[in-house]
Amino acid sequence: MAPHKQKSYVEHVAVRVKDIQWHINFFLDVLGMDVREIDGPADAPHQYWTIGGLQLMSTPGFAAPPSNDAGWLAHLGVMVEDLEAALTGAQTWGVRQLPQGRNWLQLPDGLAVELIQASAGSVSAVLAVNPRAATA
């Protein structure tokens, strides 16, 4: 098979959450993932898309299966400009560190997040891409 010349990345991941406002605040405060789009009222959205590739879907009755069950999202890998600052910011949110390492966090709904130190300037470069722009 010939090597692919096209390079790709995941534009967003949709995640069901029990408490959407908690998740909005966490991802904004700790990781700086601001709003890109909202479905529904701003104070109680049905869905919320962040700049940075996350779509939160309000599902009040949602209960994540135990972390050892297959079939649910395993984890989110999030590239961060400053890993130490993100880890410090996360401490005040009551998240739990997972056994994989101090950069692995479990949120109250059970979602696991792996924080990854990005190389200098790369996060800004990716965020400068407009995924909704019309193609030429």
Side-chain angles (χ1 to χ4, degrees):
M1 183 184 293
H4 295 280
K5 293 183 181 178
Q6 179 72 297
K7 301 295 179 196
S8 301
Y9 70 94
V10 175
E11 190 270 318
H12 76 273
V13 175
V15 180
R16 288 181 179 86
V17 296
K18 187 184 308 185
D19 183 346
I20 195 168
Q21 198 59 56
W22 186 96
H23 285 79
I24 290 168
N25 293 338
F26 175 83
F27 283 99
L28 178 60
D29 185 61
V30 174
L31 301 174
M33 297 175 99
D34 209 346
V35 64
R36 181 180 83 191
E37 185 178 343
I38 297 175
D39 171 31
D43 61 341
H46 307 293
Q47 297 184 86
Y48 183 97
W49 290 262
T50 71
I51 297 170
L54 189 59
Q55 176 185 349
L56 302 171
M57 301 170 66
S58 180
T59 313
F62 177 72
S67 60
N68 60 349
D69 279 359
W72 193 60
L73 179 67
H75 73 275
L76 293 178
V78 180
M79 301 299 289
V80 297
E81 288 180 320
D82 185 340
L83 178 60
E84 295 307 318
L87 291 172
T88 299
Q91 290 175 357
T92 63
W93 286 84
V95 298
R96 185 171 71 85
Q97 180 180 317
L98 291 170
Q100 294 93 321
R102 65 188 201 91
N103 62 313
W104 285 78
L105 308 174
Q106 186 168 39
L107 307 188
D109 282 358
L111 178 62
V113 178
E114 176 188 11
L115 302 179
I116 305 163
Q117 177 64 58
S119 57
S122 64
V123 173
S124 295
V126 170
L127 294 178
V129 174
N130 181 354
R132 301 289 191 235
T135 58

